[in-house]
Amino acid sequence: MIGLSLAYLKDRALNTALNILLLALGVASLVILLLFSSQLENRFDRDAQGIDMVVGAKGSPLQLILSSVYHVDIPTGNVPLETVGLLRRQLGVAEAIPLALGDSFRTFRIVGTEPAYPALMGATLADGRMFAEPMEAVIGADVAARTGAGLGQRFVGGHGMGGGDEGPKHEETPFIVVGRLKPTGTVIDRLILTRIESVWAVHGIEAPHDDHHEGETEAEHADHDHEGESAEDHAAHVSPAEVTAVLARFGSPIAAVRLPGFVNRQTNLQAAVPAVEVSRLLALVGVGLDAVRAFAVLLMLTAGLSIFVALLTALKEREGDMAMLRVIGASRAAIIGQVASEGLILATAGAALGLLLGHAVIGLAAASIEQLHQLGLSATRFHPGEAWIVLAALAIGLIAALIPALRVLQSDIADTLANAR
């Protein structure tokens, strides 16, 4: 029966190809939406894991999150270094990690921070050691793979956070690679990490001195030095050194309720909660995805209708052949199976082509759009939901074939053969 079905489909090759293509486009659309939305949500969750709050300059909270947690946007501005000490003194803050942004190397961002940052992201060294002195750098797995940088290699950063090769270079302050990180599947894979003092140095900013407070951060040292001073006296002694943002991890549920409001209302800073902002972003993106998803479902149903019409028309032309099969002893199940196999062959080909197209589009988009690549969009990952899309396509093909098949069985053999003559 399969051979006979293939022969019939080959006999009307153009019609067959169009039906397969129409169903493939519907399947591909659903696959693209599924992969994009699931990978985007998973990447957002992984990159923000362990980060409860981000503090930075006033502006868009979503921009602050995208720039400081996901590193796909420009920062809202800088904040005084003393912000780090301010947060570390707050009750309920388990960890406060500063970030200093502004430069890049071959589109990879150079991030001034502390060793606590890669530890927070679950990153471990593949080889080398963690940065300890200014101008030492540890590179993520993607950076190492795409640049070929190895231990001991020197490189020069450029101004800007996406086109370091095009902007002005800091030739007088080269970095040296002292360590490489293992792949984590998070944003840190595409970052170049160094001490904050390195970022200040390339921009001609002198780091605050900490000669008398061994083991204490610069921010805490500055805060302790000026205890008891008036606001005006303290402002006169504030260090010119700044950071871009501070990532905070809470040590108690009370801090999650109290601290964001405290920062937003009582300081000149802005606090943003990644979980809240990402939920808003996904809700906004979800509206557009729902509309496209509805169109894709409509496209699949249209493909099913097209298969139904094509099979119905073809069976009308082959009524005599079907009647002869029944005369020579073909069972009802065999007749239904022969017609159903045509619909399943069309649906299988359309589903397979749709899967291939969907993954190919995802791969092409990730390769040509840097932001999508940075978000970790990959064509090699499969989602369990794709199996349901394939099953839906097969069901559409089967249902579209069964209706014409039942019509053939209900026809009178004698009348059909008489008309066929």
Side-chain angles (χ1 to χ4, degrees):
M1 287 297 180
I2 297 295
L4 184 60
S5 298
L6 289 172
Y8 281 135
L9 292 173
K10 185 178 179 181
D11 187 56
R12 53 181 198 278
L14 179 61
N15 187 277
T16 298
L18 290 176
N19 284 324
I20 290 175
L21 181 60
L22 186 60
L23 184 59
L25 291 175
V27 171
S29 299
L30 289 175
V31 168
I32 291 170
L33 292 175
L34 178 64
L35 293 178
F36 177 77
S37 59
S38 62
Q39 291 188 25
L40 185 67
E41 186 171 355
N42 288 339
R43 188 57 185 261
F44 277 159
D45 289 341
R46 289 200 310 271
D47 287 354
Q49 190 171 7
I51 302 174
D52 297 316
M53 181 179 71
V54 182
V55 175
K58 293 287 188 182
S60 165
L62 179 58
Q63 183 181 352
L64 178 60
I65 295 299
L66 291 177
S67 62
S68 301
V69 177
Y70 304 109
H71 297 276
V72 292
D73 202 350
I74 59 174
T76 54
N78 291 330
V79 297
L81 176 62
E82 287 71 23
T83 303
V84 183
L86 173 67
L87 288 175
R88 286 174 174 166
R89 293 196 308 274
Q90 299 304 310
L91 184 65
V93 173
E95 200 168 21
I97 304 171
L99 302 180
L101 309 175
D103 293 333
S104 62
F105 171 67
R106 294 188 187 177
T107 74
F108 294 107
R109 292 190 175 188
I110 298 173
V111 180
T113 186
E114 300 173 352
Y117 179 52
L120 178 68
M121 303 299 290
T124 56
L125 287 167
D127 52 22
R129 59 177 175 81
M130 192 57 64
F131 54 85
E133 300 296 330
M135 309 316 299
E136 293 183 343
V138 171
I139 59 177
D142 284 354
V143 182
R146 294 181 64 183
T147 65
L151 298 181
Q153 181 167 337
R154 295 180 179 273
F155 65 92
V156 175
H159 190 65
M161 288 177 289
D165 291 340
E166 299 176 2
K169 302 290 193 306
H170 302 293
E171 302 284 355
E172 68 286 354
T173 50
F175 290 88
I176 181 170
V177 177
V178 297
R180 295 186 296 186
L181 299 174
K182 294 179 180 179
T184 64
T186 67
V187 65
I188 206 166
D189 289 346
R190 53 185 172 82
L191 298 180
I192 299 171
L193 306 180
T194 184
R195 289 186 55 155
I196 291 181
E197 290 86 350
S198 306
V199 177
W200 293 334
V202 298
H203 294 95
I205 300 172
E206 184 179 355
H209 297 290
D210 191 19
D211 297 330
H212 306 293
H213 292 73
E214 186 177 352
E216 195 174 48
T217 67
E218 289 87 349
E220 291 169 328
H221 171 47
D223 289 330
H224 291 171
D225 278 351
H226 304 304
E227 286 180 358
E229 290 182 345
S230 66
E232 291 79 5
D233 292 336
H234 179 69
H237 290 91
V238 167
S239 166
E242 296 179 319
V243 296
T244 304
V246 185
L247 310 180
R249 182 172 64 84
F250 298 145
S252 68
I254 297 177
V257 177
R258 184 181 68 85
L259 281 178
F262 163 76
V263 173
N264 288 325
R265 288 192 302 268
Q266 300 187 31
T267 71
N268 292 324
L269 308 170
Q270 173 186 214
V273 179
V276 173
E277 299 305 323
V278 169
S279 296
R280 291 175 181 172
L281 176 61
L282 292 177
L284 291 174
V285 173
V287 174
L289 293 180
D290 288 341
V292 179
R293 188 176 293 110
F295 174 76
V297 171
L298 180 62
L299 198 59
M300 286 185 64
L301 293 177
T302 303
L305 180 61
S306 177
I307 293 173
F308 164 73
V309 172
L311 290 178
L312 185 63
T313 303
L315 286 176
K316 279 187 177 181
E317 298 173 355
R318 305 198 318 258
E319 283 183 341
D321 295 344
M322 295 293 104
M324 285 300 299
L325 288 174
R326 294 172 64 188
V327 168
I328 63 177
S331 65
R332 288 176 174 268
I335 297 297
I336 293 177
Q338 194 277 316
V339 180
S341 65
E342 291 187 45
L344 285 175
I345 289 172
L346 289 172
T348 301
L353 181 59
L355 286 175
L356 183 62
L357 284 175
H359 282 266
V361 169
I362 289 291
L364 182 63
S368 57
I369 303 175
E370 182 63 25
Q371 288 83 353
L372 295 181
H373 173 75
Q374 291 176 356
L375 287 173
L377 199 65
S378 172
T380 60
R381 296 178 190 151
F382 288 82
H383 191 280
E386 293 180 73
W388 291 105
I389 296 175
V390 171
L391 289 176
L394 295 178
I396 288 174
L398 182 61
I399 293 171
L402 285 179
I403 298 175
L406 293 174
R407 183 180 179 279
V408 168
L409 292 178
Q410 292 173 354
S411 63
D412 185 87
I413 297 178
D415 290 343
T416 300
L417 293 175
N419 292 331
R421 294 176 186 172

